[in-house]
Amino acid sequence: LEVLWLCSNQISSLEGLENCSNLRELWIAENRITAVGLHLQSAARLEHLNIAGNQIADYSDVEKLSANARLRIVSFDDCHFGKNPVVRAEGYRTFTLCYLPQVQRLDGIEITQNDREAARAEFTKQVLEFNNRVEQVQKDFEREFTEIDERRHRSANHAETFQLEMVQTFEKLQQ
């Protein structure tokens, strides 16, 4: 089996497709699929995938398709079948082009070298910004932890001083 069209069939899972290792073209648009999972990883010859109009919402499902090295045409969005929620996510195109660099056509649009370079640059920028935010959060955490630890020491010192003053006052009262 090399070509399989299963559009508009109320299908909710790709289960069973792992046995279709010769599959080159899969049209599974306009169904109820919520995840790609690992079901297409054994389809090493897959070149064309139209999975538009389903319920794919997570970037991890796009990433799982990176195992399909021959994949050249991918559609998560199609004017006839509709969009997956992941298409509306910020950075969808950039993420997809970075994780599926071999793709030549995405959502019906031809991918140019400039598109790939721009996506790589944007992705790198986003990764650096994310790393900077993580670094800042770590610094803020360390600063807060240090301040809390200093307050705890001051409180302990104040408690010891207060206890000493109370003992001295009590001793004076007893005299």
Side-chain angles (χ1 to χ4, degrees):
L1 181 64
E2 293 184 359
V3 177
L4 183 59
W5 283 56
L6 294 170
C7 299
S8 307
N9 279 297
Q10 308 286 327
I11 296 169
S12 60
S13 171
L14 295 174
E15 189 176 346
L17 291 177
E18 52 275 343
N19 299 320
C20 299
S21 59
N22 291 325
L23 201 59
R24 287 184 310 101
E25 188 173 323
L26 176 61
W27 286 69
I28 192 95
E30 200 175 47
N31 281 290
R32 295 181 180 175
I33 298 165
T34 58
V36 172
L38 304 176
H39 303 293
L40 295 178
Q41 287 190 342
S42 61
R45 295 182 179 155
L46 189 63
E47 298 173 5
H48 186 155
L49 173 65
N50 188 327
I51 196 164
N54 281 286
Q55 299 303 312
I56 309 287
D58 199 292
Y59 280 141
S60 66
D61 290 298
V62 175
E63 184 180 359
K64 286 177 181 131
L65 293 175
S66 65
N68 303 93
R70 291 187 181 181
L71 198 56
R72 299 291 179 260
I73 301 171
V74 179
S75 293
F76 286 94
D77 180 6
D78 183 293
C79 63
H80 302 289
F81 298 111
K83 299 178 181 187
N84 282 283
V86 72
V87 171
R88 294 179 189 96
E90 184 179 342
Y92 155 77
R93 185 173 170 81
T94 297
F95 184 90
T96 304
L97 291 178
C98 287
Y99 275 89
L100 304 176
Q102 77 281 13
V103 169
Q104 297 169 354
R105 183 177 289 273
L106 176 63
D107 300 330
I109 300 170
E110 198 74 31
I111 304 302
T112 67
Q113 188 59 34
N114 286 342
D115 293 333
R116 289 181 210 291
E117 290 170 6
R120 178 60 60 198
E122 179 63 25
F123 189 73
T124 301
K125 177 184 167 195
Q126 290 173 0
V127 168
L128 291 173
E129 287 174 356
F130 177 79
N131 289 342
N132 287 340
R133 284 194 306 261
V134 168
E135 188 176 307
Q136 187 60 48
V137 167
Q138 287 173 331
K139 286 179 182 177
D140 291 347
F141 172 77
E142 289 170 5
R143 184 178 40 77
E144 287 290 325
F145 183 79
T146 300
E147 288 177 11
I148 290 169
D149 198 43
E150 288 172 355
R151 275 188 245 136
R152 184 179 60 82
H153 283 355
R154 279 196 304 268
S155 294
N157 289 340
H158 287 291
E160 289 171 7
T161 303
F162 183 68
Q163 182 181 11
L164 182 60
E165 288 176 4
M166 290 199 50
V167 167
Q168 289 172 350
T169 304
F170 185 68
E171 287 175 351
K172 285 181 185 176
L173 288 174
Q174 285 180 339
Q175 292 175 3

